[in-house]
């Protein structure tokens, strides 16, 4: 069902039950995974952090679990990829709806796409995934990359 997400998500870029104290911790971790895999340029993490500061990506979903989708411009990407983290405890991300509001986020999907149109399509696919009943909770509860892929393929 979510072929693009599954296709771009490398198992080595999946971090489960992460102990983080800030959104920066999570962004650094995921960007570091993508950099280690050769998927992003050294400028990527700084660009994601700068974008997150001016245009936050926390999506308030109205429940106990929210998601963030940090990303940046295509010139910082070597090869299209995604990274995903589930958090042991939520950390604050600025809300996409109201940048002055911080919301607790438990699942982070980092996009590293080399084309603006692909970014829009991927954001749409992520939105469809997280609106599917139970999908976000299943991602948050996953204990292995295989369980993440099972949720994506459902």
């Amino acid at each position: 069902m979510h072929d693009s997400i599954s296709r771009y998500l490398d198992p080595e870029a999946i971090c489960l039950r992460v102990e983080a104290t800030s959104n920066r911790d999570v962004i650094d971790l995921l960007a570091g995974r993508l950099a280690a895999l050769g998927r992003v340029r050294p400028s990527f993490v700084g660009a994601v952090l700068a974008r997150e500061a001016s245009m936050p990506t926390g999506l308030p979903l109205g429940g106990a679990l929210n998601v963030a989708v940090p990303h940046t411009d295509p010139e910082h990407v070597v090869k299209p990829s995604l990274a995903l983290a589930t958090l042991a405890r939520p950390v604050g991300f600025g809300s996409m709806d109201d940048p002055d509001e911080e919301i607790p986020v438990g699942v982070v999907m980092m996009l590293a796409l080399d084309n603006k149109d692909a970014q829009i399509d991927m954001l749409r696919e992520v939105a469809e995934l997280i609106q599917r009943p139970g999908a976000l909770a299943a991602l948050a509860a996953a204990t292995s990359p295989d369980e993440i892929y099972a949720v994506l393929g459902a």
Side-chain angles (χ1 to χ4, degrees):
M1 177 182 213
H2 299 284
D3 295 338
S4 296
I5 295 174
S6 294
R7 185 171 71 244
Y8 291 129
L9 181 62
D10 188 296
E12 292 188 38
I14 297 173
C15 304
L16 302 175
R17 308 291 298 157
V18 172
E19 294 282 348
T21 58
S22 70
N23 61 24
R24 179 168 187 143
D25 289 349
V26 182
I27 290 169
D28 285 343
L29 173 67
L30 294 179
R33 291 286 178 102
L34 292 174
L37 292 167
R39 307 292 174 81
V40 297
R41 301 188 196 301
S43 59
F44 182 80
V45 69
V48 170
L49 289 166
R51 187 185 188 289
E52 195 67 35
S54 64
M55 292 185 287
T57 63
L59 294 169
L61 301 174
L65 194 57
N66 298 303
V67 67
V69 191
H71 56 283
T72 193
D73 298 320
E75 65 261 20
H76 303 286
V77 176
V78 174
K79 182 178 178 188
S81 303
L82 277 95
L84 182 144
T86 63
L87 307 180
R89 282 174 305 286
V91 299
F93 272 80
S95 171
M96 198 179 281
D97 291 347
D98 178 359
D100 294 327
E101 179 189 357
E102 192 171 270
I103 61 170
V105 165
V107 176
V108 179
M109 297 183 75
M110 178 175 281
L111 310 184
L113 300 171
D114 59 357
N115 154 332
K116 286 264 190 211
D117 292 335
Q119 215 168 51
I120 292 166
D121 291 342
M122 184 61 68
L123 286 168
R124 187 175 307 118
E125 194 167 328
V126 168
E128 288 171 9
L129 169 67
I130 62 178
Q131 290 173 16
R132 194 173 79 222
L136 195 56
L139 287 175
T143 59
S144 71
D146 287 341
E147 289 180 24
I148 295 290
Y149 286 110
V151 174
L152 297 176

